[in-house]
Amino acid sequence: MKYIIKNICCIGAGYVGGPTMAVIASHCPNIQINVIDINQERINAWNDDNLKNLPIFEPGLDALIKKCRDINLHFSCEIEKHIANADMIFISVNTPTKAKGLGAGQAIDLKWIDATARQISKYARGKTIVVEKSTLPVKTARTIKEILGSKNSDRENYQDKYSEFVVLSNPEFLSEGTAINNLQNPDRVLIGGEDLKAINSLAEIYSNWIEKEKIITTNLWSSELSKLTANAFLAQRISSINSISALCEATGADINEVSLAIGSDRRIGKEFLKSGPGFGGSCFKKDILNLIYLCNHYGLREVSDYWQKVLDLNEWQTQRISKIVVEKLFGTISGKKIAILGFAFKANTNDTRESPAINICKELLDEGGMISIYDPKVNVNQIKSELGAEKYDFSNNLDGSWRFAETIIDASHNADAIIIVTEWDEFNNIDWNTISKIMRHPAWLFDTRSFKNSYEASDYGINVWMLGNGLKEKIER
Ligand code: UDX
Ligand code: ADP
């Protein structure tokens, strides 16, 4: 028993909506998919003939867009029309943490979800399955249902007053940078809901390319809570390994060796044991804050304190880096030139949300550093929106200013220090001989991602500090 789905509408053309719909479109040629957004500029970028101008960078995404766009995958701002025609509507809008009001700093701001539910309620026709894709607080499905179910005066003038809704939760577990691969071959697909026919309809879509055994169905609240819990567990692993990285630096142990040793225990597993400058991205912090809010709401103080520590440790890890840099550069970086390699929160994405690079740069700017930032995929405007205007001046020393660099070489000219923040492959292939010649000595390399190749820098007279390892002499391995 299932409904026939011929038209899908996805509200929100962002990091989740865009790639998810591209993969569904490529596997379901008989379904027409319309991705809609209120942001015309973003939609124009999705429709750009030059695939290099797509609004998000994800390996493999351009090929899917090329294959499906204008055939069964369409991007537009025609919200009313495509909601009205849809048999199934995915909600993939932004769900940031609330900046003010009740629950500020912890709860998710449901402003965009609320607006979306109202749009659906106003324009949808006939039986419509509404699928929550965005990460949401537990019980949001109830809010959506209430908005959809309420008698809507906006609909009074609408031609077709009949509409009926089913709400499903289908959280997205894709990880940026590997989104297409994750969507093509997920560990599992989770569908939460109460209406079996609707659940079957969504499961049928996924079963076009995913084995049935991987499709897990649960009740609505389990599905919503599973998404928060999965992200909290992943973030907890990173905070755990990062806490040990500091201990490694203090004792002379090597964090990569410790990760390898503990990860070989199948009960622990190898994944997500890479220490770094702290986790970033749009999900981990937001979801843990949301979990904390939820626990406090239900009076579970010990549980909320437990998860708060994962966030505290993460913040501490990021702050530790700028402190070490200042300390090693003789206690002052005022007027000193520092190259930042990588501004995205992780490799293979142009996303900078919650990137550890933001706070590292801000702290170095506060200390008076002159920083040159290079990232292979993040553009200057994106950095401006995080750090303010570019004021760096080559001729005059302008303490606490930054500039955008076009290449690693450009960023490293006259630099007293280089900090590797993002684990882009390019940074593991740096020609340290050349770089050493253009830096100001004594020169430093601070590698927060412990690249093998970074050891080479010490052969060319650069002092090397590795996260989770400390000061490094070159050693044969
Ligand atoms: C995460 C979840 O992985 C995904 O399932 C969910 O849908 C969204 O949130 P994402 O934020 O895209 O995905 O990236 P992820 O690969 O999880 O990395 C998050 C952060 O943790 C990055 O800053 C990354 O550098 C850091 N990280 C990850 C580590 O520091 N060490 C690791 O071993 C893994
Ligand atoms: P995510 O990482 O969850 O995909 P993004 O911020 O990348 O988040 O994308 C969310 C998108 O949702 C944005 O492009 C935003 O313009 C869009 N959006 C927000 N509210 C609405 C709405 N009511 N109708 C259509 N699009 C919306």
Side-chain angles (χ1 to χ4, degrees):
M1 288 264 286
K2 55 185 178 279
Y3 301 104
I4 294 177
I5 309 295
K6 287 201 168 131
N7 277 291
I8 287 180
C9 170
C10 172
I11 307 180
Y15 282 89
V16 172
T20 309
M21 292 305 126
V23 171
I24 297 182
S26 80
H27 288 286
C28 306
N30 298 328
I31 300 180
Q32 284 296 316
I33 302 182
N34 284 284
V35 185
I36 55 174
D37 204 293
I38 38 176
N39 182 339
Q40 181 73 58
E41 210 182 315
R42 206 165 215 191
I43 289 299
N44 292 347
W46 279 110
N47 284 324
D48 202 305
D49 287 339
N50 183 351
L51 293 171
K52 287 206 164 56
N53 295 335
L54 292 180
I56 65 174
F57 170 72
E58 246 337 305
L61 177 64
D62 49 357
L64 293 180
I65 297 294
K66 192 171 170 203
K67 175 179 161 195
C68 304
R69 195 175 58 189
D70 299 331
I71 297 172
N72 68 330
L73 178 65
H74 315 271
F75 295 90
S76 80
C77 290
E78 292 178 293
I79 292 177
E80 174 174 346
K81 176 173 146 195
H82 294 306
I83 290 180
N85 287 340
D87 305 307
M88 183 177 271
I89 299 175
F90 287 80
I91 303 182
S92 304
V93 299
N94 3 7
T95 49
T97 306
K98 259 183 114 171
K100 54 184 181 185
L102 205 64
Q106 281 191 342
I108 282 183
D109 193 338
L110 289 175
K111 181 162 79 183
W112 289 270
I113 294 288
D114 187 288
T116 308
R118 284 173 204 278
Q119 282 168 330
I120 299 174
S121 157
K122 189 171 169 186
Y123 302 128
R125 287 189 233 166
K127 181 99 188 175
T128 308
I129 301 172
V130 177
V131 184
E132 300 175 340
K133 250 295 163 215
S134 315
T135 308
L136 293 166
V138 179
K139 305 264 175 185
T140 306
R142 180 189 284 166
T143 311
I144 296 177
K145 264 192 213 162
E146 272 172 27
I147 296 173
L148 294 178
S150 66
K151 228 173 128 31
N152 193 339
S153 55
D154 280 344
R155 215 178 321 158
E156 293 298 305
N157 300 326
Y158 213 69
Q159 234 182 1
D160 182 351
K161 288 182 196 152
Y162 169 73
S163 57
E164 198 188 317
F165 301 100
V166 181
V167 179
L168 299 178
S169 160
N170 173 220
E172 189 43 68
F173 295 102
L174 68 81
S175 167
E176 287 176 32
T178 52
I180 302 302
N181 195 24
N182 300 150
L183 287 160
Q184 302 273 26
N185 187 20
D187 288 343
R188 78 312 207 177
V189 166
L190 183 55
I191 304 175
E194 285 145 9
D195 182 317
L196 196 59
K197 213 170 151 186
I199 292 174
N200 288 343
S201 313
L202 183 55
E204 165 98 354
I205 293 175
Y206 286 114
S207 65
N208 280 300
W209 74 99
I210 296 162
E211 301 92 293
K212 287 216 161 58
E213 305 71 58
K214 282 190 178 174
I215 302 175
I216 302 171
T217 57
T218 66
N219 75 31
L220 269 174
W221 325 131
S222 300
S223 169
E224 289 182 335
L225 186 58
S226 298
K227 167 74 189 206
L228 292 187
T229 309
N231 277 344
F233 268 56
L234 291 169
Q236 179 206 42
R237 266 173 90 86
I238 301 171
S239 280
S240 298
I241 201 70
N242 283 343
S243 73
I244 302 299
S245 73
L247 190 58
C248 285
E249 289 156 28
T251 56
D254 175 334
I255 193 64
N256 291 329
E257 292 176 352
V258 174
S259 293
L260 180 72
I262 65 168
S264 304
D265 183 328
R266 266 179 300 165
R267 293 168 301 175
I268 296 175
K270 290 182 181 7
E271 304 286 327
F272 262 71
L273 283 182
K274 188 87 189 71
S275 72
F279 56 76
S282 70
C283 283
F284 284 175
K285 183 174 172 194
K286 176 180 82 177
D287 288 356
I288 295 180
L289 283 171
N290 194 15
L291 197 59
I292 291 169
Y293 183 74
L294 200 67
C295 294
N296 283 333
H297 174 80
Y298 287 104
L300 300 167
R301 193 50 211 285
E302 286 71 13
V303 186
S304 76
D305 287 351
Y306 175 76
W307 290 107
Q308 180 64 47
K309 274 282 158 219
V310 173
L311 291 181
D312 294 347
L313 199 289
N314 195 51
E315 206 170 295
W316 176 78
Q317 179 79 348
T318 308
Q319 278 168 358
R320 215 157 77 66
I321 302 197
S322 39
K323 277 206 187 108
I324 289 168
V325 172
V326 176
E327 199 183 286
K328 298 285 184 208
L329 297 186
F330 311 110
T332 175
I333 55 162
S334 181
K336 290 186 181 162
K337 298 195 170 70
I338 298 175
I340 300 286
L341 300 189
F343 201 80
F345 80 96
K346 61 184 272 193
N348 296 316
T349 177
N350 59 345
D351 195 347
T352 60
R353 287 177 288 181
E354 301 293 339
S355 174
I358 300 169
N359 283 337
I360 293 175
C361 288
K362 282 186 177 163
E363 282 154 20
L364 296 175
L365 290 171
D366 282 349
E367 291 285 340
M370 295 177 66
I371 63 183
S372 295
I373 305 171
Y374 168 69
D375 186 288
K377 289 290 171 197
V378 177
N379 67 36
V380 62
N381 291 331
Q382 189 62 29
I383 303 177
K384 267 187 206 160
S385 72
E386 303 288 0
L387 301 182
E390 247 185 316
K391 290 200 185 117
Y392 194 105
D393 183 339
F394 283 102
S395 46
N396 303 309
N397 269 9
L398 204 55
D399 289 9
S401 60
W402 72 275
R403 63 180 274 269
F404 183 71
E406 300 285 350
T407 59
I408 298 175
I409 298 265
D410 179 17
S412 311
H413 262 290
N414 293 326
D416 297 275
I418 293 175
I419 312 177
I420 297 179
V421 183
T422 313
E423 75 283 26
W424 286 101
D425 269 353
E426 196 179 331
F427 305 151
N428 195 24
N429 292 307
I430 296 178
D431 172 1
W432 290 111
N433 186 14
T434 304
I435 297 289
S436 173
K437 288 179 190 149
I438 59 171
M439 289 181 79
R440 191 170 85 144
H441 288 257
W444 280 86
L445 165 64
F446 299 91
D447 181 359
T448 70
R449 299 285 183 171
S450 3
F451 278 122
K452 277 236 161 69
N453 178 258
S454 295
Y455 289 105
E456 302 286 324
S458 61
D459 287 349
Y460 300 100
I462 300 173
N463 298 298
V464 180
W465 178 90
M466 302 277 248
L467 188 129
N469 216 321
L471 199 55
K472 243 20 251 174
E473 301 299 327
K474 174 143 174 76
I475 37 170
E476 293 309 328
R477 330 195 130 239

